[in-house]
Amino acid sequence: MPEQLIIAIDGPSGSGKSSVSRAVASRLGVGYLDTGAMYRALTWWCLDQGIDLDDRDAVTDAAGDYPLAIGTDPEDPVVQVGDTDVTQAIRTPEVTAAVTKVATNTYVRPILQQAQRDLMAAIAEDTGGCVAEGRDITTVVAPDAHVRILLTASEEARLRRRSTELHGHAEAEAVAATRDSIVKRDAADATVSQFTTASDGVVTVDTSDLDFEGSVDAVLTVVTDRTGRVPR
């Protein structure tokens, strides 16, 4: 059993990776890192500072020094930029609509990926482990993680979940309103990131027919099988 357990979880939008990853980290008693929040926080910062997201060099410069403080407690993953708590602000439609320009900036990605590696190491040192989720985590950021999982689900299931999250229900109208943001964003992100098929050594966990607790248990089963670590 590794002393400092590193778990890397990739997956498409709506697969449940954020909520499941937080629950897994809590059950294991380790820290949590939402790498997607780092891209969202940078997007918020650029919008707040009036930086043109189409100016790749300017956004890259911002990525190197924007004042990010990201929470690692899975029960309360607060995100702060400078003196501003942006935990809710980075989930607004404005940021969601703009984040792809930042996430597909190939100059920005290596900067944030190295920051993610550094954070994962610091979190593991502090808490005994880290569950990191997002895109490219199993392949680029942490290819040597003790457990690497691709958390996926059918498009129908992902749209239903995200519609419920955003609109409070999954009626046809809500699903239709959600489809573009899910499908288009995944298609754009897929041009710079691999998160739809599992690479060698990555375990696929399909949550299409699982509820939340079933999804958490499925991931924890993989962790126990791979490391011997039993959740509390």
Side-chain angles (χ1 to χ4, degrees), residues 152-163:
T152 190
S154 66
E155 183 176 296
E156 178 185 10
R158 293 189 292 115
L159 287 171
R160 183 175 64 248
R161 290 170 185 166
R162 188 54 58 87
S163 295

Side-chain angles (χ1 to χ4, degrees), residues 113-129:
Q113 287 163 353
Q114 185 56 53
Q116 290 156 17
R117 294 185 193 99
D118 294 342
L119 281 167
M120 290 171 68
I123 294 166
E125 178 71 26
D126 186 49
T127 69

Side-chain angles (χ1 to χ4, degrees), residues 6-75:
I6 302 295
I7 300 173
I9 300 180
D10 281 334
S13 302
S15 61
K17 63 182 181 296
S18 293
S19 54
V20 169
S21 295
R22 289 197 302 272
V24 167
S26 292
R27 293 277 297 276
L28 293 170
V30 301
Y32 162 74
L33 179 62
D34 177 359
T35 65
M38 298 171 70
Y39 289 97
R40 286 177 171 272
L42 177 56
T43 303
W44 180 89
W45 174 252
C46 288
L47 294 173
D48 183 71
Q49 298 296 303
I51 297 171
D52 183 357
L53 297 183
D54 290 317
D55 186 337
R56 291 162 62 86
D57 291 333
V59 176
T60 301
D61 288 342
D65 61 8
Y66 76 119
L68 174 69
I70 188 162
T72 60
D73 179 354
E75 303 293 336

Side-chain angles (χ1 to χ4, degrees), residues 139-162:
T139 54
V140 178
V141 177
D144 297 323
H146 301 104
V147 181
R148 296 184 296 151
I149 292 173
L150 175 67
L151 197 69
T152 190
S154 66
E155 183 176 296
E156 178 185 10
R158 293 189 292 115
L159 287 171
R160 183 175 64 248
R161 290 170 185 166
R162 188 54 58 87

Side-chain angles (χ1 to χ4, degrees), residues 10-20 22 32 34 36-37 40 90-93 95-97 99-100 133-135 151 153-186 189 195 207-208:
D10 281 334
S13 302
S15 61
K17 63 182 181 296
S18 293
S19 54
V20 169
R22 289 197 302 272
Y32 162 74
D34 177 359
R40 286 177 171 272
I90 62 174
R91 307 294 173 184
T92 61
V95 171
T96 297
V99 68
T100 293
E133 56 94 356
R135 305 277 171 83
L151 197 69
S154 66
E155 183 176 296
E156 178 185 10
R158 293 189 292 115
L159 287 171
R160 183 175 64 248
R161 290 170 185 166
R162 188 54 58 87
S163 295
T164 301
E165 176 186 327
L166 295 176
H167 305 288
H169 61 86
E171 300 298 329
E173 183 178 345
V175 170
T178 306
R179 181 177 298 278
D180 276 354
S181 63
I182 291 284
V183 175
K184 286 183 177 179
R185 183 180 170 203
D186 279 351
D189 286 357
F195 56 88
T207 66
S208 300

Side-chain angles (χ1 to χ4, degrees), residues 82-105:
D83 296 326
T84 305
D85 182 335
V86 298
T87 308
Q88 300 303 318
I90 62 174
R91 307 294 173 184
T92 61
E94 180 185 20
V95 171
T96 297
V99 68
T100 293
K101 288 187 177 182
V102 173
T104 57
N105 185 326

